[in-house]
Amino acid sequence: KNSISELKSICADTYNTIVFISDDRSQIVQFPSQHSSSVNINSMGLRGDEISLEKQKDVIRILMLGGSTTFGYYSLDDDSTIPSFLQKKLNESSDVTFEVINGGHWSAASEFETKFLENNLELQPDIVIVYDGYNEITTPLPNDISDDKTQLQMFIKQLDFYSYTPRAITKILHEINSNQMALFSNDLNTPTRNYTDEDYVVRSDQWGQRWTSTCDTMLSDELKIIVYLQP
């Protein structure tokens, strides 16, 4: 059982992890080499220990993709995430050695996940497990987000990461960005207001089309893809 102070520390570690998320969630950057008592981001920007690109022989490597649930938002530590639990469970019940990589990213949906998979095949996964769905419903449909605005937001995050922006300034920037996001979300009819059945259909069709296309392109004897839809 964790004390109140320990739980507060876990919350602070998660909140202080620096992540860039574009308004349309097509770009997500978990800045590399961040370390705290409960959250560690490795040099590849993924949660957990460092990863060798050269896979060990006789090891089945699983890459797990998803949003904050996969990443382990507010998990007690790196070992208390879904990918970590899966690795332990598989290795307890099999003669084969499994390695499960946590490819979860905050707010990730299919547009980012499919691109991430395409761009990170050097990880040499034998199996890809996708656990998503909820973020798809809350992701803006239009791709007319200003590139200038995205670049400015990314620049601010880089300043925060590389110069350790003082907390007061960080909170002000976060508040400004949150207000922008709220206005943007309301304009695009996200679930906060007047969400319709048609919106659900469009987004779910979009999700299905992306993963169908990715599976058609990438599935092979060397790579299996398993997609789980969140309840």
Side-chain angles (χ1 to χ4, degrees):
K1 186 176 181 179
N2 297 83
S3 66
I4 295 297
S5 61
E6 288 173 327
L7 293 176
K8 285 183 177 179
S9 176
I10 291 167
C11 290
D13 289 345
T14 301
Y15 178 77
N16 291 328
T17 301
I18 300 176
V19 180
F20 169 74
I21 306 170
S22 64
D23 288 347
D24 61 359
R25 300 184 185 176
S26 64
Q27 300 181 50
I28 305 174
V29 179
Q30 293 169 170
F31 283 83
S33 303
Q34 300 184 65
H35 304 286
S36 64
S37 59
S38 63
V39 180
N40 291 285
I41 308 296
N42 63 30
S43 59
M44 291 190 65
L46 302 178
R47 184 167 189 175
D49 297 332
E50 292 297 327
I51 301 166
S52 172
L53 292 181
E54 186 175 349
K55 184 174 58 178
Q56 295 180 13
K57 293 182 179 179
D58 302 322
V59 170
I60 296 178
R61 176 174 280 183
I62 298 174
L63 172 62
M64 190 163 185
L65 302 177
S68 56
T69 48
T70 300
F71 172 86
Y73 203 69
Y74 295 131
S75 293
L76 298 178
D77 51 39
D78 298 336
D79 294 329
S80 302
T81 64
I82 293 175
S84 180
F85 284 130
L86 177 61
Q87 178 174 289
K88 292 174 186 174
K89 188 69 174 177
L90 290 172
N91 286 326
E92 285 175 359
S93 57
S94 174
D95 295 332
V96 180
T97 301
F98 289 86
E99 177 189 17
V100 183
I101 297 174
N102 189 340
H105 286 70
W106 296 13
S107 296
S110 63
E111 181 177 5
F112 171 81
E113 291 162 347
T114 51
K115 289 178 181 177
F116 178 85
L117 177 56
E118 292 171 9
N119 295 331
N120 289 275
L121 289 177
E122 72 271 14
L123 288 171
Q124 300 179 322
D126 300 292
I127 301 170
V128 173
I129 297 178
V130 183
Y131 181 61
D132 68 4
Y134 178 80
N135 287 341
E136 205 73 35
I137 298 302
T138 62
T139 298
L141 283 175
N143 292 317
D144 57 356
I145 313 300
S146 166
D147 287 338
D148 291 339
K149 178 182 177 183
T150 299
Q151 292 301 319
L152 176 60
Q153 291 173 323
M154 182 63 172
F155 176 70
I156 291 172
K157 279 292 183 181
Q158 288 174 326
L159 279 180
D160 192 18
F161 177 67
Y162 290 111
S163 63
Y164 299 100
T165 310
R167 196 71 186 142
I169 297 176
T170 301
K171 289 183 71 174
I172 292 171
L173 293 174
H174 176 75
E175 186 66 25
I176 292 172
N177 191 53
S178 295
N179 289 335
Q180 289 176 333
M181 284 292 288
L183 291 172
F184 179 77
S185 297
N186 290 336
D187 288 343
L188 291 181
N189 193 30
T190 54
T192 52
R193 291 191 181 182
N194 301 323
Y195 203 59
T196 67
D197 290 342
E198 183 179 353
D199 294 322
Y200 283 109
V201 171
V202 171
R203 285 171 168 82
S204 59
D205 285 347
Q206 176 179 262
W207 175 85
Q209 290 165 6
R210 285 199 182 115
W211 280 117
T212 298
S213 175
T214 297
C215 289
D216 288 345
T217 303
M218 294 189 176
L219 275 177
S220 67
D221 292 337
E222 289 76 35
L223 177 63
K224 305 300 181 186
I225 301 175
I226 304 170
V227 180
Y228 287 99
L229 180 63
Q230 291 172 313

